[in-house]
Amino acid sequence: VAASVVMRLDRSTILRAAVLLPPLLLPPGARKTVAAGTFTSRPGEEPASLSKSGLVRVDRDRSVVLGSLSKIGGSTVLVPGQTRPQRVPVQPPSHSDSNAMRHDAAGLVSVKRGGESFLFTLTPRPNKALDRDEVVIGQVMDAAGMEVLERLNNLATNNYNKGALVIVKVDRAQVVQ
């Protein structure tokens, strides 16, 4: 399975990268995320979406983390004892999948082990430290995608949380056959 990820940097599309996602290695929660680009945790709720999600942080030469949701979805519920309805956001999917792939190359795509997060990580360089907390689900397949990953890796960041000083948005994530 290949996924197409489109990224935008300051209103200009800079990446239409194909990402290889081996079906046997893709955790069910991540499969649902990439296939639809949306999440729901209960029937009838508004879905959370990866569309327009943002860059979370750049740890230069170690990881580029994307998936900060701009649309958290969820539902409004009545809570006994409360006078106003409460907004309950969509909960991230969980999974128990694992594989033998390691973060031993540039351009790998991974998600947190066990799920419970909408974030995904790209590796600009090999980073075996990610093996403990992340499971590899794919890789950037083309040279243009690797060039953009390198540009993201070199973005100026703040010293507080390694957030980029420019706006980076994921326009969409979808499966292409």
Side-chain angles (χ1 to χ4, degrees):
V1 175
S4 170
V5 177
V6 178
M7 288 185 215
R8 180 179 282 220
L9 177 60
D10 283 343
R11 298 190 181 114
S12 299
T13 298
I14 58 168
L15 170 66
R16 290 185 189 279
V19 180
L20 178 65
L21 300 169
L24 298 176
L25 303 178
L26 190 61
R31 189 176 303 123
K32 179 179 176 184
T33 301
V34 173
T38 61
F39 302 90
T40 58
S41 49
R42 290 180 293 283
E45 69 183 358
E46 179 185 352
S49 175
L50 283 175
S51 178
K52 307 299 183 212
S53 64
L55 178 70
V56 177
R57 70 181 163 275
V58 176
D59 192 0
R60 189 155 294 129
D61 293 335
R62 293 184 181 93
S63 64
V64 174
V65 181
L66 295 148
S68 171
L69 300 182
S70 59
K71 182 178 175 186
I72 62 169
S75 58
T76 303
V77 297
L78 296 174
V79 178
Q82 299 283 327
T83 57
R84 290 188 286 178
Q86 303 295 311
R87 186 75 177 165
V88 178
V90 171
Q91 298 302 307
S94 62
H95 60 83
S96 59
D97 292 347
S98 187
N99 62 52
M101 293 184 72
R102 301 290 172 238
H103 293 85
D104 57 1
L108 297 177
V109 180
S110 60
V111 295
K112 183 178 174 188
R113 286 190 187 276
E116 303 300 327
S117 175
F118 294 113
L119 303 178
F120 57 98
T121 302
L122 302 171
T123 58
R125 308 276 183 280
N127 183 359
K128 295 187 181 197
L130 291 173
D131 291 341
R132 184 183 62 181
D133 299 324
E134 306 255 339
V135 59
V136 175
I137 62 168
Q139 68 185 57
V140 176
M141 294 181 356
D142 54 23
M146 290 303 293
E147 285 178 24
V148 172
L149 177 56
E150 189 60 30
R151 285 180 63 191
L152 292 173
N153 182 51
N154 290 318
L155 287 175
T157 60
N158 66 44
N159 291 332
Y160 175 66
N161 63 2
K162 299 184 192 255
L165 296 178
V166 295
I167 297 171
V168 178
K169 296 288 183 186
V170 175
D171 277 348
R172 69 179 172 267
Q174 67 187 46
V175 170
V176 292
Q177 300 292 342

